[in-house]
Amino acid sequence: MGYLFMLLAAASWALIGPVSRVAQAAGLSPVEVAFWRALIGGTFFAVHALARGQRPPRGRDLGGALLFGLAGVSLFYLSYQLAVAYGGAALAAVLLYTAPAWVVAGSFVFLRQPVSGGQLALVVLTLVGVLLLSWPQQGFRVSAAGIGWGLLSGLTYALYYIYGKLQFTRYEPTVLFALALPVGALGLLPWVGFAPKTAIVWLALLVLSFVSTYLAYWFYSLGLRRLDATRAALVATLEPVLASLLAFVWWGERFSPLGYLGAAAIVLAVVASALEPGLNRRRRA
């Protein structure tokens, strides 16, 4: 069930690009799209938490949730947009999905989870897959700023898995996201320029906020409760594969041969991650 929930989360996140493209085509900047996604998505979580009577954390844990909003939402969303601006979409995508490597390091340091050689090999296979999948889009414009912002986006993305493992067993994820997402939206506010919006744009923002934020993070939290952080991060790398498939269906965008090879490498890494626990039990038996 953990793998199923993470797959549903990845599928929900895969809609971010296509749906955001509708809003951006109408004149909204990527940062404004991210602002509305965080604000409206946080509202859905707040309604959920209030309806269930869930109480927010207090003291140090409340401060941690607010800091996560600034780092995991404001800084993550902004750093990824700057990585695209300075290094191009292909390089930004590759550096964003260094997240599994950051998760491996964070799990070892903060969660005291041992890291097997097999897990490291799967992380490397995933990174190679994302590299091949992204490379044909437009090539790489290598710059120090692009690399720096891209690595920061991968690091802040990895915080979702580390923070979730630390807090989701202590507090309901819905109430944590009800705090973190609006705080993240406020952190983005200084960089937002608001554009006029049509009914279609508002519909796109609602879909982005409900499906790709509220439902996606809810599925993700359910999956993370059942999987270790490294496996959850590996499954989430199916997102660019699914997003590319959607781009093919909607706009006829095709992979190059390297792109197909990269997609296959990511799928192979995810399947191997799912099979590894059973194989290890058989060896021990």
Side-chain angles (χ1 to χ4, degrees), residues 90-111:
L91 181 61
V94 171
L95 295 176
L96 173 65
Y97 283 98
T98 59
W102 294 113
V103 170
V104 167
S107 297
F108 180 77
V109 173
F110 297 107
L111 305 178

Side-chain angles (χ1 to χ4, degrees), residues 33-120:
V33 173
F35 168 82
W36 288 114
R37 178 191 170 202
L39 184 63
I40 301 173
T43 302
F44 283 124
F45 275 112
V47 171
H48 185 149
L50 289 172
R52 298 292 298 274
Q54 295 168 352
R55 295 185 178 182
R58 297 180 180 180
R60 183 176 298 178
D61 290 334
L62 175 59
L66 300 180
L67 285 175
F68 173 70
L70 292 175
V73 180
S74 302
L75 188 55
F76 168 45
Y77 289 0
L78 189 60
S79 62
Y80 183 69
Q81 297 300 329
L82 290 172
V84 172
Y86 285 103
L91 181 61
V94 171
L95 295 176
L96 173 65
Y97 283 98
T98 59
W102 294 113
V103 170
V104 167
S107 297
F108 180 77
V109 173
F110 297 107
L111 305 178
R112 299 293 188 266
Q113 290 181 353
V115 180
S116 68
Q119 286 180 317
L120 288 175

Side-chain angles (χ1 to χ4, degrees), residues 191-205:
W191 288 273
V192 177
F194 293 100
K197 299 165 190 66
T198 64
I200 294 298
V201 171
W202 281 117
L203 179 60
L205 292 174

